Structure formats: structure tokens, C-alpha cells
Amino acid sequence: MVERASGAVLTDTEGRQYLDCFAGISVVNAGHCNPEVVAAAKAQMDKLVHCSSYLYHVRPTADLAEKMAQITPPGLTKTFFGSGGAEAIEGALKIARLATGRHEFIALQAGFHGRSWGALSVSGNQSRKKGGGPYAPGVAFAPAPYLYRSQWRDRPDECGRECAGAVEDVIRFATSGDVAAFIAEPVMGEGGIVVPPPNYFQEVKKVLDRHGILFIADEVQCGFARTGKMFAIEHFGVVPDILVSAKGIADGFPLSAFTTRMEIAAAYKPGDHLSTFGGNPVCCAAALANIEFMQREDLCGHAARLGEYAKSRLQDLQPQFPLVGDVRGLGLMIGIELVKDERLTPASNEAEAVRDECLRNGLLVGLGGIDGNVIRFQPPLVITKQQIDDAIGIFSRTLHSLSL
Ligand SMILES: Cc1ncc(COP(=O)(O)O)c(C=O)c1O
């Protein structure tokens, strides 16, 4: 049971400390209890906690909307605020329908977009969907650009092209041609840190443009400096039509957003969409302080540099541990896929054992992947090089001690 935390270190109720390399599922990018974020939230609490930004104008909410227009890709200038990621996904799906007058969606196998019914309907992950079906009709799934498990493992360009080509096939064979939007995580989180080949989204965008289909980028997990850019889609040279964010937006305060172009936003008239708590002034004040901290401290640069360092140190472990099949990632969003053999049989039990033993050894890591065989390394972005070394030391000793 956790009692308090600071930066990348958690302390439990017995006073034991843990190095946090999961950041509350990729949330506290600016560190646990970042003093600047906490101070901004406290100051706002003395002034105004709630009045619903739908009823009255609220300064921190307006300022944050302005900030989102500055930091999101060009042309995305209007933001709707909610409280959680799934809620923002729902709002983005709905506005895509209203703006296009179309009704179907294309999503990716292994993608994940949240636990509400609409969000699960566009999620391609049975372990998250089980027990909740049947899901919404009108959703078709395209293959994930999952290089490591594709037939083009050493040919990323071909993998990108073929997987993008499959989107065209899905439109043709699995929809009625009434597709409002394609939704995808620029880098998959729950699906096991799947980084698409560099050409993938450009190729997909060509397909979407041919059919007048909007692109919704789900940056809930990969956004806010996590991958070394403020938003992960910036690595891929395309601009989405709608960008959804949450998690890292306010360093732990519950807030989410979707940001889009003016003409798409105009599909919502006042009152068409509403969230009582959305755009809460305390959360927005925290988000503003959070983003200012990220920019001033260059968390993007820090995540890019330390991410490359961590990835190469983890890759160095591969020859010693045949179980470590693949180490991949962007910035400080790193996945370590554990496999049993050359046929890449998922080592799911082993991954769970590694995660649990790391915890006993004072290191928190996450688990992901369709088969639960990917260790997720997503620390607060304020983590130091020394802490990365310590974490990798614990991780490799844990692999040794489990004789993996
Ligand atoms: C990519 C992605 N989208 C959406 C969500 C849903 O966010 P929330 O749990 O805040 O509803 C998540 C949560 O893990 C996510 O990783």
C-alpha cells in the first residue's frame, strides 16, 4: 500500500521505497507530486474548485485550451475537456460522426482506447473486452503494424506499406463505405508498446484522404513528452484530425481532452456535448503548471536521450537472456517482449513472474501485450540516469534470480 511519492520514488505504508518505472500507467510524466503542479493546484483550490466550465467561463480552463492549441500539431485549435481518457475517446468518436455525417469506424487489432462501451467497441483486445459484449456494430479492425510479429520483421518499410494497404482492404471488404474515422494509438501502450514503422501513418493517411475518412490519434498513453516529442504522432510526419489526450496532461489530476480543427469542432453546438466535471479548474491549473514544467525542463529531450540509453542497455541484456525476444520503444515508452522460443511463443507466466519479483525487489514495472508477455518500462520522465541504471540493475538481477 503506497503512502506517498516524489519524483520517481514511491514509499509504502511501512516506509519501504520503490523505484517507479510505470508512473501510474504513464501518468506522472513530470514526477510524482511535482512541487510546481501541486502548488498551482493548491492556489486554484483557494479560489475556485468547481462551477462547470459549461455554465460559466473559467480562466484556467480557457488558458489551458489556448495552451493545447499551441502544443498540439498545426491546425488543431479547439479543445473539449473531460475527466478521463475513455470519456474523451467517446467525445471524439461522436464528433467524428457528426462532422462527417458517417457512422462507421476502423480501428487496429491490439489497440486499446478505454473501458467504456464505445471505447471498448473500437479496442482490438479481447482481454480488455471480455464479458462486455456484444459491442457496437460498424467497427472494422485492420492489422496492427507490429513489426516484430509480422512477416516483414527486417523490412520496416514493407511492413508499414503492407499494413497501411490492409486499411484499404478493410474499407473495401469490411465496411459499407460509410466510415467516419480511423482511430489508432501512434504508439500502442496496452497492446505491448508497438511502435509502427516510420512510413506507416503517412501511408495510412493517403488511404484515409482518398476516402474522406478522419484520423483520430489516441495520445492518451503516448502523449505529453513520453516518446521524446510532446505528442507521439509528431514522429510520423502526419497531422491527425482529432487528437485525444489524458493521463500525462495534468501529472495525476483527472483530466482529459480532445483537440480538433475549428470546422470539425463546429459540428458540436453548445450543449450537444457536456461533462459536468470536465475542465475542472483545479485540474486545468495543474495541467498548465505541468506543461510549463515540461517545456522549461525540456522533458521531451530528456525522455529522448534517456530513452535511447535505457533501450540500448536493455538490448545489451538480450544475449544473456534468450527469453528477451525484443526490446523496442520510443523515448521512455519501452517494451521488453518475453518469448519462449524462436517461434515467438509468448512467455506470459514468466512475464508476470518477472513483474512480481521486480516489485519484491523494489522496482515497479508494467505488463502489457495481447498475451500479457511484454514488460512495460514507462517511468516518470524526470527519472535520472542513475535511477535508470538502478532500475536496469534490479531488472537484470531479477531475470538471473528467476533463472530465466
Ligand atoms: C491509449 C489509451 N486510450 C484510452 C485509455 C483510457 O483512459 P482512461 O483509463 O483514463 O479512461 C487508455 C488507458 O489506459 C489508453 O492507454
Side-chain angles (χ1 to χ4, degrees):
M1 189 176 298
V2 175
E3 188 160 87
R4 58 182 181 276
S6 170
V9 177
L10 285 161
T11 308
D12 73 12
T13 47
E14 322 263 275
R16 194 167 169 225
Q17 294 200 321
Y18 303 80
L19 201 43
D20 182 4
C21 285
F22 203 27
I25 322 187
S26 200
V27 169
V28 289
N29 293 3
H32 284 282
C33 297
N34 181 299
E36 293 179 31
V37 176
V38 171
K42 281 183 180 164
Q44 181 58 40
M45 278 166 74
D46 286 335
K47 288 195 260 181
L48 176 73
V49 170
H50 174 82
C51 78
S52 183
S53 61
Y54 172 69
L55 295 176
Y56 309 103
H57 294 298
V58 182
R59 178 101 239 166
T61 313
D63 288 346
L64 183 60
E66 191 64 46
K67 193 76 180 172
M68 291 298 289
Q70 287 164 15
I71 65 172
T72 51
L76 307 183
T77 50
K78 200 158 184 181
T79 294
F80 183 98
F81 292 109
S83 302
E87 180 195 358
I89 293 289
E90 299 287 339
L93 295 174
K94 184 173 143 190
I95 204 168
R97 282 180 155 184
L98 284 173
T100 58
R102 301 184 188 175
H103 305 92
E104 294 173 272
F105 294 102
I106 297 174
L108 291 183
Q109 293 168 5
F112 177 72
H113 303 288
R115 305 275 184 158
S116 55
W117 195 70
L120 280 173
S121 297
V122 292
S123 292
N125 185 334
Q126 193 190 66
S127 74
R128 304 295 189 270
K129 293 172 94 151
K130 66 175 184 288
Y135 287 98
V139 182
F141 290 89
Y146 194 158
L147 193 60
Y148 180 60
R149 287 189 178 273
S150 78
Q151 58 185 292
W152 310 280
R153 200 185 304 167
D154 301 318
R155 286 166 284 150
D157 259 24
E158 206 169 334
C159 177
R161 246 190 340 271
E162 292 292 332
C163 291
V167 174
E168 181 85 59
D169 290 344
V170 167
I171 296 169
R172 251 184 98 204
F173 299 118
T175 76
S176 70
D178 185 39
V179 181
F182 164 84
I183 180 165
E185 299 157 82
V187 175
M188 279 185 191
E190 302 299 302
I193 317 294
V194 175
V195 185
N199 62 344
Y200 174 70
F201 282 110
Q202 285 175 13
E203 295 293 327
V204 168
K205 192 73 172 67
K206 287 183 204 159
V207 175
L208 301 181
D209 288 348
R210 271 201 295 279
H211 296 271
I213 295 171
L214 300 180
F215 173 26
I216 303 174
D218 179 349
E219 294 266 358
V220 169
Q221 188 158 154
C222 55
F224 288 98
R226 168 66 46 199
T227 64
K229 303 257 186 210
M230 193 54 96
F231 295 102
I233 196 65
E234 294 169 42
H235 290 281
F236 298 97
V238 300
V239 173
D241 299 289
I242 305 173
L243 184 148
V244 183
S245 53
K247 290 191 191 284
I249 189 172
D251 203 36
F253 286 84
L255 186 70
S256 65
F258 57 96
T259 307
T260 186
R261 293 197 304 275
M262 280 297 180
E263 72 269 20
I264 296 174
Y268 274 159
K269 302 288 172 266
D272 280 354
H273 200 62
L274 173 65
S275 169
T276 302
F277 291 124
N280 171 275
V282 178
C283 299
C284 288
L288 277 165
N290 177 45
I291 296 166
E292 275 158 25
F293 177 87
M294 284 183 171
Q295 290 180 319
R296 197 190 64 233
E297 299 296 321
D298 185 27
L299 285 199
C300 287
H302 191 68
R305 284 186 297 276
L306 278 190
E308 273 313 302
Y309 173 73
K311 197 165 65 175
S312 79
R313 283 218 47 200
L314 287 164
Q315 281 164 345
D316 288 346
L317 298 178
Q318 279 184 279
Q320 293 172 59
F321 301 106
L323 195 77
V324 178
D326 193 29
V327 177
R328 54 180 179 257
L330 262 183
L332 283 168
M333 187 164 184
I334 298 174
I336 304 147
E337 178 151 3
L338 305 188
V339 294
K340 290 187 188 180
D341 48 39
E342 301 218 321
R343 299 176 64 207
L344 312 189
T345 308
S348 313
N349 294 337
E350 290 82 352
E352 204 176 316
V354 169
R355 193 256 326 257
D356 293 350
E357 191 60 18
C358 280
L359 174 66
R360 279 189 281 276
N361 293 333
L363 172 68
L364 270 70
V365 290
L367 215 53
I370 291 295
D371 294 297
N373 66 321
V374 180
I375 304 284
R376 285 154 70 192
F377 185 83
Q378 297 170 266
L381 308 180
V382 292
I383 195 166
T384 63
K385 185 157 176 283
Q386 182 60 54
Q387 286 172 321
I388 297 251
D389 286 337
D390 293 345
I392 292 173
I394 297 175
F395 183 70
S396 78
R397 283 197 296 281
T398 301
L399 291 180
H400 267 298
S401 71
L402 292 172
S403 310
L404 297 171

